[in-house]
Amino acid sequence: MSIKIGSKAYAERIQDGIDNSFMRKAVSSAQGRFRTGRLKAAEELGDWEDWRTLGEEIRSHTMENLDYYLHQLSEEVEKRGGTVFFAETAEEANAYVQEIAKKKQAKKVVKSKSMVTEEIGLNEALAESGCEVVESDLGEWILQLDEDPPSHIVTPALHKNKEQIRETFVKKKGYTKSDDPVELAAFAREQLRQDFLSADIGVTGCNFAVAESGAVTLVTNEGNARMVTSLPDTQISVMGMERIVPTWEDLEVVVSLLTRAAVGQKLTSYITALTGTRLEDEVDGPEDFHLVIVDNGRSKILGTEFQSALHCIRCAACINACPVYRHVGGHSYGSIYPGPIGAVLTPLLDGYEDHKELPYASSLCAACTEACPVKIPLHEHLIMHREIIVERERMNAKSEEIMMKGFAKWASTPAAYKMSTKMARTALKPWTKDEHIENGPGPLKGWTDQRDFPAPPKKSFREWYKHREERRNG
Amino acid sequence: MAIHNREAFLDKLAGRLGRPRRTEVAPPSYSVRPQERVFQGATQDELVEKLEAQCEVIHTSFERVTLSELEDTLRRVLNGYGVSKIVSAGGPRIETSGLVDFYDQLRKEDYEVQIWDEEKGRQNVEFAEQAGAGIVFSDITLAESGTVTLFNDRYNGRSISLLPETFIAIIPKSTMVPRMTQAGRLIHEEEEKGNPVSSCVSFVTGPSNSADIEMNLIVGVHGPVKATYIVVDDL
Ligand code: SF4
């Protein structure tokens, strides 16, 4: 697999998404729950905006000094008995991991969920080297058995119902019990235990590396990352080069932002920070540790107007806030990174050619930007993409038509839009609930019959743009 | 042990950032510090109360005892879980808290108890995999999230808190802090003093769980299914 998933055309993917009513219901209820969790967590803290400011400052400082911190990280990892490999491309990263597998004569690899390994297609590379690869995150395990791509960053198997999951277990693993989630999970636990105990290599991603100590941190609820890093003798962690913080003090801030923004938890069940190999007097943990730091197109974003896209901490808050994602689901984006951040990141990493529709998969309502715990101006990035697509690349994207007929017309009619920027927030108040509008009046009716409509942002894009132009000119 | 391809990789990043490679960076001063405000000025007892309330949220049983009550409480908790095979972290703390004698007593009563022992190597892990309960001491306890911090080492193997079906953490009241901020700061300060962090720091908040099947919360998908915290007032 690479960043791109499937070969279906954009319009077809969208139609599949719209036709899949189970998925749409699941997505909408998950969005609701995650969103409520996030808002509740923010409210509990009381000073969420300060937290976001701090998150943004930490991320920008780190990105501005990325070369320094990656240097420090690699020194520390080496001091603690680990090996570090800097990989420019997916191929280089995969070849390095294949080489380790070959040296270890590995037959079985257990993995904990990792987006960057999806992005570089590591599973296929390992399979080529004759390794059986087992995804150990419950959702990923289900998808792997069913050969299906993930559709959400936090809950990858969101689009599957329990009957489908049971069927997969029956077909692929000889499961005999019911479709009760507890029984299904108990079966997975039993099966996966055996894999953990017999694996030669454990592969993980990395939520955040800590430069000052060389730690690789994994944030999970299931604890599978702890299994993957405690039991096999060899551990390989693969990280996108931007997934780093300077110190442990910074780590705790971004971890707190991540868990609250993702699911509304104060902390997840497990946050595990692993540094190098196990010490001489320790019994469990790896005796051989490798950190693979991957560029794979990320450096092209540094120093550009899109640099803040690298601040992303993969919490999925923007995805959960997005009305378009709600409508079409994760697969429609054709990328392992769905939703607003996917629409921003995918063309940056993989070029416009295959992804020129993605920046149009947005209503520019700015719900994503408001949700982002590190204040990435996602909708502004989407607008910049559109400008580039139209002006520089001279490509033609038909998405607005396909994506949201009625809505697009309303939003792109200057008079209507202007009216909305001035009046909508007040006028729509009676219908606004929890940031969204249900059962909207007049022109919104058709849309809200099917789905919630995002409440207009406090400042509209046009206002923002005008303001920006004024600032620029004056 | 080695570092491959570093220089060209980092040179390129510096080039993209439009400047030469940086070999020094002044620690940034951030404009806000909201993390300091959480439970600021709370006493140890107030922090224990916050912890107790949070235990409800994280599906974890809560006990609060004095050192002299610890043994009876542990026995009650173990029996409640129906557990007779136990793996425990070792080290000075099980001695000062009197657990060594308690474990000896349990052994006489047909419990199987193993204290983590590096001499036994991999056998520790196999035992933990079969054990019904794993018992550890918390090194730093975060009141806000209900988290125990474990600096895994020769006495406290990673498997103890992970493989058995139930997880029991003994929490000295003296380890209570408001939130992860204080744990992060402590590790940062130790790093600065040249005391390297443990090879594995585990922040554990209740039992293992997942919401991967139709968003239903299921506990114990990989790690422990049940968890109990026992706060010891005079430790
Ligand atoms: S862009 Fe922001 S909200 Fe979206 S996943 Fe990244 S950090 Fe979270």
Side-chain angles (χ1 to χ4, degrees), chain B residues 28-167:
Chain B
S29 57
Y30 300 124
S31 70
V32 280
R33 300 193 64 80
Q35 68 275 45
E36 308 286 349
R37 296 199 282 266
V38 179
F39 301 161
Q40 204 171 27
T43 64
Q44 294 302 99
D45 283 313
E46 282 163 353
L47 293 177
V48 172
E49 281 162 30
K50 304 273 185 200
L51 175 73
E52 181 171 10
Q54 177 65 10
C55 279
E56 291 261 324
V57 180
I58 59 169
H59 312 281
T60 297
S61 314
F62 175 90
E63 304 274 348
R64 183 170 182 175
V65 299
T66 58
L67 187 55
S68 61
E69 297 162 336
L70 177 60
E71 291 179 14
D72 286 347
T73 308
L74 258 180
R75 187 188 286 274
R76 177 165 51 74
V77 170
L78 289 168
N79 291 346
Y81 285 140
V83 163
S84 59
K85 192 165 181 174
I86 301 146
V87 58
S88 169
R93 277 178 310 186
I94 64 161
E95 279 158 35
T96 48
S97 59
L99 288 189
V100 177
D101 293 343
F102 172 62
Y103 289 150
D104 277 342
Q105 182 57 39
L106 286 184
R107 284 192 196 100
K108 282 185 203 141
E109 297 169 28
D110 282 349
Y111 287 84
E112 264 184 277
V113 185
Q114 180 162 324
I115 297 172
W116 194 262
D117 178 2
E118 61 182 281
E119 300 289 309
K120 293 194 175 137
R122 212 50 199 181
Q123 191 268 338
N124 287 286
V125 178
E126 282 151 27
F127 187 94
E129 215 277 311
Q130 298 301 318
I135 303 177
V136 296
F137 278 82
S138 174
D139 289 300
I140 307 175
T141 312
L142 322 180
E144 181 199 36
S145 52
T147 304
V148 295
T149 309
L150 310 174
F151 294 120
N152 295 121
D153 61 10
R154 60 189 287 202
Y155 299 122
N156 182 4
R158 305 175 193 200
S159 303
I160 303 173
S161 51
L162 183 64
L163 297 181
E165 212 163 283
T166 58
F167 167 61

Side-chain angles (χ1 to χ4, degrees), chain A residues 43-110:
Chain A
E43 195 185 291
E44 239 170 44
L45 276 176
D47 43 12
W48 184 237
E49 284 311 304
D50 277 0
W51 281 88
R52 290 178 77 211
T53 303
L54 182 56
E56 183 191 20
E57 287 179 9
I58 292 174
R59 295 303 287 145
S60 352
H61 169 81
T62 311
M63 236 30 70
E64 285 301 327
N65 298 291
L66 190 58
D67 51 335
Y68 174 81
Y69 288 120
L70 285 173
H71 183 273
Q72 188 184 22
L73 173 72
S74 59
E75 290 288 302
E76 295 302 319
V77 171
E78 191 188 33
K79 264 191 225 161
R80 294 296 296 263
T83 303
V84 184
F85 184 86
F86 285 87
E88 286 273 342
T89 61
E91 292 72 32
E92 278 177 34
N94 288 336
Y96 180 70
V97 177
Q98 282 176 320
E99 201 186 294
I100 301 170
K102 207 166 121 200
K103 249 193 237 152
K104 304 275 169 189
Q105 298 179 318
K107 298 265 173 307
K108 188 181 278 186
V109 175
V110 279

Side-chain angles (χ1 to χ4, degrees), chain A residues 235-340:
Chain A
Q235 180 191 335
I236 304 171
S237 294
V238 186
M239 66 179 266
M241 66 172 200
E242 78 285 13
R243 308 303 295 276
I244 179 171
V245 289
T247 69
W248 278 81
E249 290 188 296
D250 302 317
L251 172 75
E252 82 86 3
V253 176
V254 288
V255 164
S256 299
L257 284 167
L258 171 64
T259 59
R260 287 191 202 244
V263 280
Q265 283 173 296
K266 287 170 179 156
L267 292 181
T268 49
S269 299
Y270 298 104
I271 292 156
T272 312
L274 301 139
T275 310
T277 56
R278 69 175 182 239
L279 302 176
E280 235 167 64
D281 53 12
E282 287 178 295
V283 169
D284 48 7
E287 58 178 12
D288 192 13
F289 171 73
H290 300 262
L291 177 63
V292 182
I293 301 174
V294 177
D295 180 335
N296 202 31
R298 287 162 172 74
S299 57
K300 282 186 297 193
I301 308 173
L302 273 185
T304 70
E305 66 266 54
F306 292 106
Q307 182 165 313
S308 66
L310 292 173
H311 296 178
C312 175
I313 59 173
R314 307 279 190 270
C315 69
C318 58
I319 299 176
N320 295 324
C322 177
V324 173
Y325 174 87
R326 188 188 197 81
H327 188 39
V328 300
H331 287 169
S332 303
Y333 293 81
S335 162
I336 62 159
Y337 301 110

Side-chain angles (χ1 to χ4, degrees), chain A residues 77-213:
Chain A
V77 171
E78 191 188 33
K79 264 191 225 161
R80 294 296 296 263
T83 303
V84 184
F85 184 86
F86 285 87
E88 286 273 342
T89 61
E91 292 72 32
E92 278 177 34
N94 288 336
Y96 180 70
V97 177
Q98 282 176 320
E99 201 186 294
I100 301 170
K102 207 166 121 200
K103 249 193 237 152
K104 304 275 169 189
Q105 298 179 318
K107 298 265 173 307
K108 188 181 278 186
V109 175
V110 279
K111 278 185 70 207
S112 77
K113 183 178 151 190
S114 144
M115 305 209 63
V116 69
T117 58
E118 289 274 336
E119 177 190 317
I120 64 176
L122 182 64
N123 285 15
E124 287 78 357
L126 280 165
E128 249 172 51
S129 314
C131 289
E132 183 197 350
V133 182
V134 182
E135 290 288 351
S136 62
D137 171 89
L138 177 59
E140 295 285 342
W141 191 63
I142 293 166
L143 295 181
Q144 190 184 33
L145 291 180
D146 221 18
E147 294 168 41
D148 201 9
S151 65
H152 189 279
I153 297 182
V154 177
T155 45
L158 185 59
H159 57 287
K160 288 208 173 309
N161 62 32
K162 57 185 196 300
E163 291 80 18
Q164 290 169 328
I165 294 170
R166 177 178 181 272
E167 211 172 290
T168 303
F169 284 10
V170 170
K171 249 195 265 154
K172 299 284 167 78
K173 289 279 173 187
Y175 178 71
T176 52
K177 293 191 177 158
S178 78
D179 61 12
D180 174 4
V182 174
E183 278 190 355
L184 290 168
F187 177 72
R189 177 186 167 104
E190 210 181 277
Q191 296 275 315
L192 282 164
R193 270 287 159 111
Q194 298 319 311
D195 289 325
F196 287 125
L197 290 164
S198 59
D200 308 292
I201 296 180
V203 172
T204 76
C206 165
N207 285 92
F208 304 103
V210 187
E212 72 172 337
S213 73

